[in-house]
Amino acid sequence: MTLTLYTNPMSRGRIARWMLEETGAAYDTVVIDYGPRSPDFLAVNPMGKVPAIVHDGTVVTECAAICAYLADAFPDAGLAPPLDRRGAYYRWLFFAAGPLEQAVASRSMGWSIDDPQKQGMLGFGSYDRTIDVLEAAVGAVGAGWLAADHFTAADLYVGAHLGWGTAFGTIPRRDVFVAFVDRVQGREAAQRANAKDDALAAERQAQPG
């Protein structure tokens, strides 16, 4: 088996790293620096974006897709519910990938649509509605998990968005969000992933030029 992560320690690649650590699989890391992309990397992902993984010749891009793919590729890690119980799992994975990311990006860019009819044309409707819906979902599970009676890739992906957003002010620090982030970030795999990326970021920052 060959498994390679293309990433940058200051990017969404941290999500893919965390997911890989959760699977327990061995993998190689290729760091993609900011700036012009090499032809070799563009052959992997023509969008020029990280993260991307290549697993035995199969290329997967987009964080939510990487999380879902790895959960299926390494079933012994238990990171997805059984096939017949994946409704909430898919729902929250792609809610975070779609409405949540769009709402946060739009707000960060200063784009605001107040007309309810025009909001209906947007996948996320409005920022406030998106955040309120996610708060209700996270709050409803209490000390449990979003998609099963155990931690899954949906918790990882939503938790990663909430962790980043509450840290940098793009998502409000509501109590249920902070509690959820604390629980997911307390996992050993999350701590290993963060340590590896933090060390990698420090190493590259220290390099001359």
Side-chain angles (χ1 to χ4, degrees):
M1 185 202 78
T2 61
L3 179 54
T4 302
L5 168 67
Y6 294 85
T7 188
N8 183 291
M10 298 304 294
S11 75
R12 292 174 179 85
R14 295 180 79 103
I15 301 174
R17 166 93 68 191
W18 178 8
M19 186 65 190
L20 283 162
E21 291 294 324
E22 290 281 358
T23 69
Y27 62 94
D28 298 318
T29 301
V30 176
V31 177
I32 304 298
D33 289 320
Y34 289 113
R37 301 306 198 214
S38 70
D40 286 346
F41 180 62
L42 291 175
V44 173
N45 186 4
M47 289 290 290
K49 303 284 286 183
V50 292
I53 63 169
V54 181
H55 179 218
D56 287 342
T58 297
V59 176
V60 188
T61 67
E62 318 314 319
C63 281
I66 290 170
C67 289
Y69 175 87
L70 289 172
D72 287 344
F74 300 95
D76 289 347
L79 294 166
L83 280 171
D84 61 349
R85 283 179 274 169
R86 288 195 182 180
Y89 173 76
Y90 288 130
R91 178 185 183 185
W92 297 114
L93 264 177
F94 297 109
F95 182 90
L100 181 60
E101 180 142 355
Q102 292 170 23
V104 168
S106 295
R107 186 180 181 89
S108 298
M109 297 294 178
W111 303 332
S112 178
I113 302 295
D114 297 323
D115 183 339
Q117 281 195 313
K118 290 183 178 178
Q119 287 179 357
M121 299 168 63
L122 303 173
F124 63 93
S126 72
Y127 174 86
D128 289 339
R129 179 182 298 179
T130 300
I131 297 300
D132 288 345
V133 167
L134 188 57
E135 180 184 29
V138 174
V141 301
W145 303 108
L146 288 168
D149 61 1
H150 62 278
F151 177 88
T152 71
D155 300 298
L156 185 154
Y157 190 62
V158 170
H161 275 277
L162 289 176
W164 182 271
T166 55
F168 291 94
T170 58
I171 292 175
R173 289 182 58 82
R174 297 182 181 176
D175 290 345
V176 294
F177 292 160
V178 172
F180 191 77
V181 170
D182 286 346
R183 284 197 298 121
V184 296
Q185 288 291 343
R187 293 179 62 81
E188 290 183 9
Q191 294 174 11
R192 286 198 307 272
N194 282 332
K196 288 179 179 181
D197 276 324
D198 289 348
L200 191 57
E203 173 189 318
R204 302 191 79 76
Q205 195 170 29
Q207 290 177 355

